[in-house]
Amino acid sequence: MAEAVRLEREGEVAVLVIDSPPVNALGLAVRAGLADGLAAAVADDGVKAIVIRADGRTFPAGADISEFGKPPVDPWLPEVCNRIEASPKPVVAALHGTALGGGFEVALSAHWRIALASAKVGLPEVTLGILPGAGGTQRTPRLIGAEQALDMMISGKPVSAARALAMGLLDEVVEDDLPGAALALARRLIAEGAAPRPTRDRRDGMRDAVAYEGAVAAARKAQATNRLPGPRRIVDCVEAALLLPFDQGLKFEREAFQELVASPEAAGLRHAFFSERRAAKMPEAKVAARPLTHIAVVGGGLMGAGIAYACLSAGYRVSLMDRDREGLARGLERIAKLQEGAVEKGRMSPAQREADWARLSGVMDMAQLAEADLAIEAVFEDFDVKADVLRGLDAVLKPGAVLATNTSYLDVDALAAVTSRPGDVVGLHFFSPAHVMRLLEIVVGKATVPDAVATGLALAKKLGKVAVRSGVCDGFIGNRILTAYRQVAEYLIEDGATPAQVDRAMRAFGMPLGPFEVSDMAGLQIAWARRKRLAATRDPAKRYVAVADRLCEAGRFGQSTGKGWYRYEGRKAVEDPEVTAIIAAERAAKGITAQSFTDAEIATRLMVAMANEGAKILAEGIALRPSDIDVVKLFGYGFPRWEGGPMHWADGFGILQLKNAVQDYATQAPDFWQPAPNLDAMIVNGTRFADLNEG
């Protein structure tokens, strides 16, 4: 029998103990161990009941997704589940931790289910573009009906043990000693002479066929326009559970599962899943971080307050500094409002709010930050302002403290150079709102020492952020690609498209908002200030679209002023003839004849711009790997997860096609449309970006 599962005897009870760290994933060794252990227990006349439980931190937390897309190897999970369900002896599944996906399908195939109160169960396969493929779509609705089963599988969200018990997914919940409680249940079943209770024969959730079909019809209508096929196929499978005999329902589910596994959407979602985990594998990850208990945040604006709130919520002691009394008061008020909102939504208890607030201090004198382990400047995006703050921090912070800049674009090396300890300076680029957005770019300067980087990574983990390592360049990874994206969007409108058409094309691609909608929401004045900062060094021979400058000069700064690229009626964006006239005037001044574009052409052109800029970033060593670029765009910029990111998209588009497209667009702006220098070698060697994702 495989080592991943061991068979123990407790009198008349056989206990199959899954022990395959870290999360007892249902890889081949675990599946084989369960099948072999079950067969041995069934064949042993002295065994009257069987318990399946797990050592370690959790019951199986899902299938081994590294096996997705590969031919199944016997015993495959659906067959293991069927064997468990077909056992002639009662089988009890004992759940702790997070019993998710295939792990919960194993539990569903058992005859009784008992769980620790702290456990969670769920079927989150939809987040990977697929559906439960080991009977989950057939067994779950038999227990709890179509409405609740569909909600679980389409949302992908786990439910607590208490909720699962109330729904009918569990039979018992215990506060402690799960192994003992599971044994007691098994022995009680033996004493009562209980026969196996296969889930396939249950009809608890199917007693009202009309309500069942009504829930299916409602879900089908709700998912009719969903871009992703997974939720629609889940609805089909849950309907099949009612209409087909169980074995035919399993066959229907398996065919739908295989169809989805092969879909491009599932490939993109799998890529996103693995990329997120790969991003943490940076060179400094193995270096010990510096002690980190006290964090200073300089700047009480929206960003600074958001960072301070996130650090408080993670258990740190936080000092918020602003040199202006009113600014400090506003910053503290912002934190208080965030805490109050969290309490109202049930995300924080009043006691926790009070405990967090007790760890917060507001200061106006930088000398009071002397004992901070890490200080983050979150002041206005201006080099001189940030440099002044860093000089002040350098003068007062204790030796060994990390100095972090939250700059979005500025040169971290130049900022580090104004201090006496450039090795301690690191970029921590939070995304707004800082307490919500999961991305954190860790920007590593030429002088930054490894343990300062490791400290930033430790902070990211404590805050629940997805950290990506970036080198120093204008805009780092995310904003550099965003700049290219916006630049091409502006080329398109000057060449004949409208802002509304460009936005529509990118929403159809999967972006939550188009580039001009995003600009209006963020405020045009931010980018305008940066353009003015760079104006002195701009090459006058290069194409420059001045439409946004004209909008700002007219006081059109976006939603905050009621007009930007659009005119706003409340929050509703309306196309504005004034903007059309400004664009037309700029076009006429350059002698440009307007041309027409299809939405598909617009989306492709913008995607090519992002992928080509990403390739340049990779060639320059700014990003460690292509998938890190994808993670930045997925978590920081709303890139559709099912597309995997711009570099994953480029693999599907084709590297040769990418280079050819860049060259084709060169008539639009020859200085901009230059193929990344690494594309030729990739084409010659038949290399994809995915091949460069080591680890």
Side-chain angles (χ1 to χ4, degrees), residues 134-151:
T137 68
Q138 304 303 293
R139 292 187 176 97
T140 309
R142 280 173 160 76
L143 295 174
I144 62 174
E147 183 176 2
Q148 293 187 113
L150 286 166
D151 181 64

Side-chain angles (χ1 to χ4, degrees), residues 222-442:
Q223 298 302 322
T225 59
N226 193 330
R227 168 78 174 268
L228 298 178
R232 296 195 300 273
R233 298 299 278 145
I234 288 172
V235 176
D236 294 340
C237 288
V238 170
E239 183 178 45
L242 178 69
L243 301 179
L244 299 178
F246 184 77
D247 290 331
Q248 289 185 27
L250 287 181
K251 183 174 182 293
F252 186 92
E253 175 193 84
R254 174 51 41 175
E255 290 172 351
F257 176 85
Q258 292 172 332
E259 169 194 316
L260 292 173
V261 165
S263 70
E265 292 86 358
L269 290 165
R270 286 197 300 274
H271 172 76
F273 179 89
F274 285 117
S275 296
E276 179 183 347
R277 282 147 184 78
R278 192 182 297 119
K281 297 178 180 179
M282 54 187 74
E284 299 85 359
K286 295 180 181 179
V287 177
R290 301 179 189 181
L292 192 57
T293 59
H294 180 191
I295 295 174
V297 179
V298 181
L302 290 173
M303 178 61 76
I307 294 171
Y309 170 78
C311 292
L312 282 172
S313 299
Y316 291 110
R317 177 187 165 201
V318 176
S319 296
L320 179 68
M321 181 199 161
D322 200 299
R323 288 175 174 169
D324 177 81
R325 185 177 299 278
E326 292 181 358
L328 178 60
R330 285 193 299 268
L332 294 172
E333 184 179 349
R334 288 184 180 110
I335 295 171
K337 286 183 177 179
L338 290 173
Q339 290 180 325
E340 189 61 35
V343 171
E344 289 176 358
K345 294 174 182 176
R347 295 173 183 166
M348 177 188 291
S349 68
Q352 183 61 54
R353 175 186 57 192
E354 296 306 315
D356 286 358
W357 190 259
R359 284 184 276 103
L360 173 65
S361 59
V363 305
M364 294 177 61
D365 182 355
M366 198 170 280
Q368 294 178 268
L369 306 180
E371 294 305 311
D373 302 307
L374 181 149
I376 305 169
E377 69 76 15
V379 296
F380 185 68
E381 186 73 0
D382 177 272
F383 183 89
D384 292 337
V385 174
K386 288 181 179 291
D388 184 57
V389 170
L390 288 172
R391 287 191 194 95
L393 290 170
D394 180 33
V396 302
L397 287 178
K398 65 185 180 183
V402 175
L403 285 72
T405 171
N406 181 52
T407 179
S408 302
Y409 286 96
L410 299 175
D411 187 335
V412 171
D413 289 327
L415 287 170
V418 308
T419 74
S420 65
R421 39 176 145 179
D424 292 334
V425 178
V426 64
L428 294 181
H429 180 206
F430 288 83
F431 286 70
S432 185
H435 61 289
V436 174
M437 296 293 286
R438 291 188 61 203
L439 179 65
L440 178 64
E441 282 184 314
I442 299 182

Side-chain angles (χ1 to χ4, degrees), residues 370-593:
E371 294 305 311
D373 302 307
L374 181 149
I376 305 169
E377 69 76 15
V379 296
F380 185 68
E381 186 73 0
D382 177 272
F383 183 89
D384 292 337
V385 174
K386 288 181 179 291
D388 184 57
V389 170
L390 288 172
R391 287 191 194 95
L393 290 170
D394 180 33
V396 302
L397 287 178
K398 65 185 180 183
V402 175
L403 285 72
T405 171
N406 181 52
T407 179
S408 302
Y409 286 96
L410 299 175
D411 187 335
V412 171
D413 289 327
L415 287 170
V418 308
T419 74
S420 65
R421 39 176 145 179
D424 292 334
V425 178
V426 64
L428 294 181
H429 180 206
F430 288 83
F431 286 70
S432 185
H435 61 289
V436 174
M437 296 293 286
R438 291 188 61 203
L439 179 65
L440 178 64
E441 282 184 314
I442 299 182
V443 185
V444 182
K446 292 177 182 177
T448 309
V449 296
D451 65 340
V453 180
T455 305
L457 181 58
L459 174 65
K461 289 180 179 178
K462 192 76 177 288
L463 298 183
K465 303 291 186 186
V466 177
V468 175
R469 188 188 194 277
S470 174
V472 176
C473 66
D474 191 67
F476 317 128
I477 296 173
N479 281 341
R480 177 168 162 180
I481 293 177
L482 178 65
T483 297
Y485 175 67
R486 286 177 171 171
Q487 195 166 341
V488 174
E490 293 184 3
Y491 291 161
L492 282 162
I493 63 165
E494 197 170 59
D495 285 339
T498 66
Q501 184 189 10
V502 173
D503 286 343
R504 182 181 69 231
M506 294 318 293
R507 287 197 306 273
F509 177 79
M511 297 287 193
L513 295 171
F516 299 106
E517 293 168 318
V518 171
S519 291
D520 273 359
M521 184 172 66
L524 276 66
Q525 68 273 27
I526 300 171
W528 189 35
R530 177 173 175 269
R531 290 195 300 275
K532 288 190 288 186
R533 172 171 60 84
L534 298 175
T537 58
R538 186 181 302 122
D539 184 348
K542 292 184 177 181
R543 182 176 181 181
Y544 179 75
V545 180
V547 175
D549 294 346
R550 302 291 91 82
L551 296 178
C552 291
E553 289 163 5
R556 304 181 68 103
F557 296 128
Q559 288 185 11
S560 63
T561 58
K563 55 184 180 178
W565 289 99
Y566 298 93
R567 176 171 52 83
Y568 288 87
E569 297 175 356
R571 288 194 172 272
K572 182 182 177 182
V574 179
E575 290 188 77
D576 193 337
E578 184 179 331
V579 175
T580 305
I582 290 173
I583 294 171
E586 289 295 311
R587 192 182 294 150
K590 293 182 178 180
I592 297 173
T593 300

Side-chain angles (χ1 to χ4, degrees), residues 147-186:
E147 183 176 2
Q148 293 187 113
L150 286 166
D151 181 64
M152 276 190 72
M153 289 184 273
I154 291 175
S155 73
K157 295 178 181 178
V159 298
S160 67
R163 174 67 178 146
L165 178 66
M167 292 166 73
L169 291 169
L170 300 176
D171 298 292
E172 287 187 32
V173 172
V174 296
E175 293 294 333
D176 53 28
D177 190 16
L178 179 65
L183 274 176
L185 173 57

Side-chain angles (χ1 to χ4, degrees), residues 9-14 46-47 187:
R9 279 290 297 273
E10 297 284 350
E12 294 182 305
V13 180
V47 170
R187 287 169 176 154

